[in-house]
Amino acid sequence: MFKLKNSLLLMAPLLLIAIITYLLLNQNSRLPALKTTSPWFQEGLVALKMASRREINNNPGAARNIILFIGDGMGISTVT
């Protein structure tokens, strides 16, 4: 039972990424046309498609963790 819980916890982030990717690549996007036609959005889609085609390195010793830093309102006085 513990192994099943552990594997489900490990699969949750992958499932979340898969759902987000599906929603972003879905042709019937719910975003306004202005946002989907912006250069930043288009470049992001291209980068996402290229990243999804990359081969995954499952060799022992390969990096497996991702650290994501999100900052909001991080001015010079906050960072230094």
Side-chain angles (χ1 to χ4, degrees), residues 14-26:
L14 294 175
L15 182 61
L16 181 62
I17 290 171
I19 290 170
I20 291 171
T21 303
Y22 172 76
L23 292 174
L24 286 176
L25 296 177
N26 189 4

Side-chain angles (χ1 to χ4, degrees), residues 43-54:
E43 289 173 18
L45 281 179
V46 170
L48 185 62
K49 287 179 183 179
M50 288 175 53
S52 68
R53 293 183 188 134
R54 290 182 61 190

Side-chain angles (χ1 to χ4, degrees), residues 21-41:
T21 303
Y22 172 76
L23 292 174
L24 286 176
L25 296 177
N26 189 4
Q27 296 300 323
N28 299 324
S29 178
R30 297 192 192 325
L31 292 174
L34 177 64
K35 292 192 181 221
T36 58
T37 56
S38 74
W40 299 285
F41 188 84

